[in-house]
Amino acid sequence: MQLVSLPFLLFAAITLIVYYFLARKAQNIWLLAASYFFYVTISPSYALVLFAVTAVNFYIGKKATFRFWLTLGVGLNLVSFAALKLVSGPYGPRLLPVPPEALSLLLPVGFSFYILQAISYLVDIHNRQTDSADDFFDFALYLTFFPKLLSGPIERPARFLADLRAARHVDASALARGVGLILVGLIRKIVIADRLTSFLPPAVFSDPAAFSSLEKVIWLLAFTFGLYNDFAGYTSIARGLSALMGIELGPNFRQPFLANSLSDFWTRWHISLSFWLRDYVFFPTRRWLMQHRWPQLAATILPPLVTMLASGYWHGTQAAMIAWGGLHGLYLVGEQLLKSKTPRPPSRLRTALSTLAVFTLTTLALILIAASSLRAAFVYFTGLFAFTAQVTSVIPAVDLVAAAALTLLLDWQESRHGADAFFMKWTPTARAWGFAAALWILILFLGPQASVVTFVYQGF
Amino acid sequence: MHLFSRETIQIKSFSFSQSLRGIVYFLLTIPLVFLTAEIVARSPIGILLPAPSVNADNFLFDAKIYQLENQLRRDGSLDCLFLGSSVANSDIDPAVVEQVYREKTGETIHCFNLGLPAMTIETASALAEAAIARFHPKVIFYAILPRDVHDAIANVEYLGEIDWVKYNRGVPSLNGWLVNHSYAYRYFMTWRYWLALPNRAKMEAEASPLAAKGYQPAPGIREPYIENLTMTPERLHEAWDDPRQAQAVEYFLTLQQKGVKIVFLEGPSYHESDASDAETWRVYETEYLPTLIQILDENQIPFWRTQEIAIAIPKEHWFDWLHLNSDGAAAFSQWLGEMMAENRGLFK
């Protein structure tokens, strides 16, 4: 069952209606059952893996204040994550004598997201930032909650479990906020991301030599805007749906294309993962280096490199993914070194130029994610500077410009009102008309001719 | 443990919920949007837009139906409708036919070419039945080729199953009603069709260039020139082997019960003067044609042979072995207009 589909709409509607008439405890059990049902429709075996992860972490969590149990729990989670990532990736066939198609099924959808939540649960208990869950159902729901199960946001246990323990209220504002977030998410997904993704020529990143520099620039921008809207769309739908249940999920994006530094970019792009990596990889690494009196330079260079390499591995075990992480690590190190050497007062022009530079650097780095191999990425990258302009692929210029404009319009609204639920700052009449217009836009773009593409981040 | 509670939903009055108001506004704007779109679509602005689709996945068909509707609105009646495969589509220019007819008889007739590439007689039957109900033509001319009765490889069978055709053949459906009565809905179909990138190139290729009255001229001479597209002695031998092939022709002929006259027209094809394909033509004349003529005779349907005019048209006026280019089509349409003038009783 895909998130953007009629069966899911029906499933969500039934889940919500029943949910609204249940008491808090029963609501949690109902949501857990619904989440497992949702996951089973994708694969029953995935649900078994999720249950095993839940059970193991719940029981280890009871003793996670002790270093041994913390090490055991985190170790188990990390080893299983690393191993499953490795065997389901391109090196799997060399490690296991199983057909590649079967190997690719070994990594359950959403595993990369819920395993991080399990790790943060154990670490936070050890660090006394949260208590171990008393209720198995509540903890299971923390990992399983269906709006965030497949692609996050990666929630922290303290806040989410506190939400599960509290009574929920859905008033007119919460309803408007939830519906609005879902509409914005659907527009990002269906109107922008799916259109851009469907336009990409199949071979543009795997066989880039066949395309001119101009085409490479255009398709790279289309990929960038498509990826952003796909994931931001998913997050918005997940948060909106969750808001309809009176449960708050954290944001994942905050106008990343307006970032004016590379460290700022990571506070705006896939925020829940970035902050998870910051809290559980970056800070501990830096603390460890400083405690062990490593040179200042090492304490500046190593933490971002290790963090971003871990981020690369989280995205995939392909050499190109690791290189993407490494490149971002180098970006951050370079930025830190430059900042410390040449501190300059900010100006409007400098901020604008920095924003452009950050956009260019992060977009160029995405070549590594889009390309199937390091070699293809290299050919794509060098081809950008061949300055050839012939056009061999069909370039729907109107659609590309419209998609970019719509993205920037939504981002501008979010930036102006300081929230992704920007419509809540509109007058009630403007908001109602906005919802009506959004429905019209969706009707225009949703149809049998325009099929919905699977969310990109489900692949991670 | 309490199982039920009404604590979660705290909406006192649904009318004050902004999201529900948005849904109400959306519902209220549906008739307004449809009415505006309908007015725009039927106004001269509509001509500037791509043809409204009847959801056929065949944009040439969409474009021809739209042209025919406009023509009928302008002329008031339809005297002759040309049907058939690509041969009818590119060989018959109704404007020339009408002009020749007027010159010969002093009377005006209104014709339209609804030929579609790859159409076989089974699909043509469904289409003709729908067209009779919708456009009330006086005479249907069917340009027949051997491939029309036995070619299962290239066809547009799906056209017989679209809601526009089914609705006009008496199978009611909401989609059928909408594609027959709402231009706004049809433009919505065009929009959705256009959204898929591959369809845009298909739209452009299928409906271009489409001249007036449904005539789609073939440009110049095909490169590489195809000597023989479908007709071989072997295929002609088996043209009537399957009884369903004769039944398909017979079904087409039953349409005259709906008050329309039917004329079968031999699809013209190029004849080499050196008779290199003499065997093909021998089998065509001795095995294929007699069966066809027998079926037509039994149903008292005229069959107009085109051999003489086909031989008279020089090779440079043929797009390929089977299709005339615009010069050839002008000559063939001239001949057809004269034939129709000689048989002017058909239009009475």
Side-chain angles (χ1 to χ4, degrees):
Chain A
M1 189 163 26
Q2 288 296 324
L3 204 65
V4 180
S5 66
L6 274 180
F8 184 82
L9 181 69
L10 189 67
F11 160 76
I14 292 169
T15 305
L16 274 175
I17 291 167
V18 174
Y19 175 86
Y20 286 144
F21 293 100
L22 294 176
R24 183 195 65 80
K25 182 73 186 162
Q27 280 178 330
N28 291 355
I29 294 170
W30 169 247
L31 282 182
L32 183 63
S35 298
Y36 265 95
F37 172 79
F38 170 67
Y39 208 34
V40 163
T41 64
I42 297 170
S43 169
S45 61
Y46 291 173
L48 284 176
V49 174
L50 174 60
F51 182 77
V53 168
T54 307
V56 167
N57 280 282
F58 180 73
Y59 288 106
I60 291 180
K62 295 278 180 203
K63 301 165 186 173
T65 46
F66 299 103
R67 181 168 290 277
F68 168 77
W69 288 102
L70 170 74
T71 311
L72 179 70
V74 171
L76 275 175
N77 286 324
L78 277 181
V79 167
S80 61
F81 171 72
L84 281 177
K85 272 278 181 190
L86 200 61
V87 295
S88 62
Y91 305 109
R94 292 185 207 168
L95 300 168
L96 284 177
V98 181
E101 313 83 64
L103 284 174
S104 66
L105 298 174
L106 281 178
L107 184 71
V109 177
F111 186 84
S112 306
F113 292 88
Y114 66 71
I115 204 74
L116 296 191
Q117 297 180 125
I119 291 171
S120 61
Y121 173 70
L122 298 179
V123 174
D124 285 6
I125 290 172
H126 185 78
N127 292 339
R128 318 268 180 206
Q129 288 172 344
T130 190
D131 296 326
S132 62
D134 297 329
D135 191 322
F136 179 78
F137 293 119
D138 282 4
F139 175 69
L141 187 55
Y142 163 60
L143 295 188
T144 315
F145 186 47
F146 71 87
K148 68 173 179 67
L149 177 59
L150 303 184
S151 303
I154 300 161
E155 288 294 315
R156 299 303 175 83
R159 197 183 72 178
F160 194 87
L161 289 171
D163 270 3
L164 294 187
R165 289 185 204 113
R168 280 133 236 175
H169 303 298
V170 179
D171 57 12
S173 282
L175 192 68
R177 188 169 178 280
V179 170
L181 281 171
I182 291 170
L183 286 175
V184 170
L186 288 172
I187 285 176
R188 280 198 186 274
K189 170 65 178 159
I190 293 165
V191 181
I192 307 174
D194 285 358
R195 317 248 3 95
L196 291 175
T197 311
S198 69
F199 293 152
L200 288 175
V204 68
F205 290 108
S206 57
D207 182 20
F211 298 85
S212 69
S213 305
L214 179 66
E215 287 174 304
K216 285 191 180 81
V217 171
I218 290 168
W219 293 128
L220 180 58
L221 288 172
F223 176 80
T224 304
F225 277 88
L227 180 69
Y228 166 51
N229 283 289
D230 186 272
F231 197 18
Y234 175 91
T235 306
S236 195
I237 295 167
R239 296 185 70 213
L241 191 54
S242 193
L244 293 181
M245 299 173 195
I247 296 172
E248 193 64 30
L249 294 181
N252 247 347
F253 291 92
R254 190 170 56 83
Q255 310 95 52
F257 300 148
L258 302 181
N260 56 32
S261 72
L262 288 151
S263 45
D264 182 28
F265 176 80
W266 286 109
T267 64
R268 293 164 175 268
W269 180 280
H270 202 174
I271 296 169
S272 65
L273 176 66
S274 312
F275 284 13
W276 191 97
L277 288 167
R278 181 197 64 185
D279 294 346
Y280 298 100
V281 181
F282 181 88
F283 286 155
T285 308
R286 198 169 66 175
R287 261 199 311 272
W288 188 88
L289 290 171
M290 291 170 86
Q291 280 166 359
H292 290 80
R293 303 189 183 285
W294 281 55
Q296 179 62 36
L297 190 65
T300 305
I301 292 173
L302 286 178
L305 264 183
V306 169
T307 306
M308 295 317 295
L309 282 169
S311 177
Y313 191 89
W314 182 88
H315 281 83
T317 53
Q318 298 93 328
M321 291 291 189
I322 309 289
W324 171 82
L327 180 61
H328 267 286
L330 290 175
Y331 280 172
L332 290 170
V333 170
E335 186 177 79
Q336 277 303 108
L337 293 175
L338 270 176
K339 263 187 190 167
S340 59
K341 291 239 161 82
T342 55
R344 286 178 183 171
S347 72
R348 194 170 277 191
L349 177 66
R350 188 166 295 129
T351 306
L353 288 174
S354 300
T355 303
L356 186 65
V358 169
F359 177 75
T360 308
L361 288 172
T362 51
T363 303
L364 286 174
L366 279 178
I367 295 173
L368 287 159
I369 288 206
S372 50
S373 68
L374 275 177
R375 179 187 291 272
F378 180 74
V379 173
Y380 199 102
F381 179 77
T382 51
L384 285 171
F385 302 99
F387 302 109
T388 49
Q390 74 269 23
V391 174
T392 51
S393 52
V394 180
I395 296 175
V398 176
D399 307 65
L400 296 179
V401 171
L406 191 53
T407 303
L408 295 175
L409 177 72
L410 291 171
D411 278 15
W412 172 67
Q413 278 294 310
E414 288 179 5
S415 167
R416 186 168 169 237
H417 295 298
D420 52 0
F422 56 85
F423 41 83
M424 294 304 286
K425 304 282 172 69
W426 295 355
T427 64
T429 307
R431 197 182 312 158
W433 278 115
F435 285 2
L439 282 171
W440 269 112
I441 291 170
L442 286 172
I443 295 250
L444 279 177
F445 281 88
L446 190 62
Q449 302 292 347
S451 59
V452 175
V453 181
T454 308
F455 286 98
V456 177
Y457 260 70
Q458 278 181 29
F460 298 129
Chain B
M1 184 180 92
H2 295 291
L3 192 56
F4 298 106
S5 161
R6 295 181 66 184
E7 192 185 0
T8 301
I9 281 288
Q10 298 199 344
I11 298 169
K12 302 285 181 262
S13 165
F14 277 84
S15 61
F16 290 109
S17 165
Q18 294 94 355
S19 50
L20 290 172
R21 265 172 68 187
I23 293 168
V24 172
Y25 286 3
F26 166 73
L27 294 173
L28 287 176
T29 52
I30 288 176
L32 190 71
V33 169
F34 258 76
L35 193 65
T36 309
E38 199 69 37
I39 291 168
V40 170
R42 288 173 189 272
S43 74
I45 301 169
I47 296 164
L48 302 172
L49 302 171
S53 173
V54 294
N55 208 12
D57 193 25
N58 184 318
F59 207 68
L60 179 61
F61 182 71
D62 289 332
K64 286 198 173 195
I65 291 295
Y66 185 50
Q67 258 194 359
L68 180 50
E69 286 166 344
N70 281 332
Q71 179 178 319
L72 199 58
R73 208 174 295 133
R74 190 180 59 239
D75 297 341
S77 66
L78 182 67
D79 298 292
C80 60
L81 185 69
F82 300 108
L83 274 176
S85 60
S86 55
V87 168
N89 181 48
S90 63
D91 288 8
I92 302 170
D93 183 351
V96 174
V97 172
E98 287 176 11
Q99 188 189 340
V100 172
Y101 188 89
R102 192 165 50 248
E103 286 167 4
K104 297 283 178 191
T105 64
E107 294 167 7
T108 299
I109 55 169
H110 303 294
C111 298
F112 192 85
N113 184 336
L114 198 56
L116 289 167
M119 188 153 69
T120 54
I121 195 157
E122 277 185 284
T123 312
S125 299
L127 208 57
E129 193 172 358
I132 291 166
R134 180 96 177 132
F135 305 117
H136 314 293
K138 286 182 184 161
V139 186
I140 290 179
F141 289 88
Y142 185 78
I144 190 165
L145 294 168
R147 70 157 290 282
D148 292 357
V149 292
H150 73 142
D151 186 16
I153 301 162
N155 61 60
V156 284
E157 272 176 1
Y158 60 90
L159 280 179
E161 295 301 316
I162 63 170
D163 284 337
W164 184 90
V165 170
K166 282 161 80 172
Y167 183 85
N168 283 307
R169 294 178 79 189
V171 182
S173 68
L174 178 62
N175 195 45
W177 187 89
L178 284 167
V179 292
N180 273 282
H181 293 92
S182 170
Y183 276 101
Y185 181 76
R186 281 169 61 183
Y187 274 117
F188 179 52
M189 293 291 108
T190 305
W191 161 257
R192 291 212 307 189
Y193 193 68
W194 181 85
L195 279 181
L197 198 54
N199 285 349
R200 298 186 194 179
K202 192 166 169 271
M203 279 168 86
E204 204 171 357
E206 280 176 348
S208 169
L210 184 62
K213 297 179 178 292
Y215 166 55
Q216 192 177 36
I221 295 172
R222 188 173 190 169
E223 289 290 345
Y225 192 89
I226 295 171
E227 292 293 339
N228 191 333
L229 281 173
T230 55
M231 212 161 83
T232 61
E234 294 74 29
R235 297 193 78 183
L236 288 169
H237 267 309
E238 62 192 31
W240 302 106
D241 281 359
D242 187 339
R244 284 178 303 176
Q245 288 147 359
Q247 284 163 11
V249 177
E250 281 162 354
Y251 182 79
F252 192 98
L253 304 181
T254 61
L255 296 176
Q256 57 187 331
Q257 292 164 7
K258 295 183 180 290
V260 67
K261 291 171 187 161
I262 294 172
V263 174
F264 266 51
L265 194 61
E266 182 185 24
S269 46
Y270 180 67
H271 287 56
E272 278 290 353
S273 52
D274 62 3
S276 58
D277 51 1
E279 175 60 9
T280 303
W281 287 110
R282 189 192 66 74
V283 181
Y284 178 82
E285 292 288 343
T286 58
E287 296 185 31
Y288 164 73
L289 270 188
T291 307
L292 175 65
I293 291 169
Q294 186 190 339
I295 296 169
L296 295 175
D297 282 349
E298 282 168 4
N299 290 276
Q300 294 156 352
I301 299 293
F303 180 61
W304 293 359
R305 295 219 52 188
T306 59
Q307 205 175 20
E308 278 182 31
I309 181 66
I311 290 169
I313 294 174
K315 189 170 184 178
E316 58 270 26
H317 290 175
W318 289 85
F319 174 66
D320 59 28
W321 173 83
L322 199 56
H323 304 91
L324 293 161
N325 61 26
S326 50
D327 293 328
F332 181 71
S333 302
Q334 165 91 24
W335 171 86
L336 189 56
E338 289 167 3
M339 283 291 288
M340 285 160 68
E342 283 174 28
N343 296 275
R344 58 199 289 191
L346 283 168
F347 302 104
K348 301 298 178 196

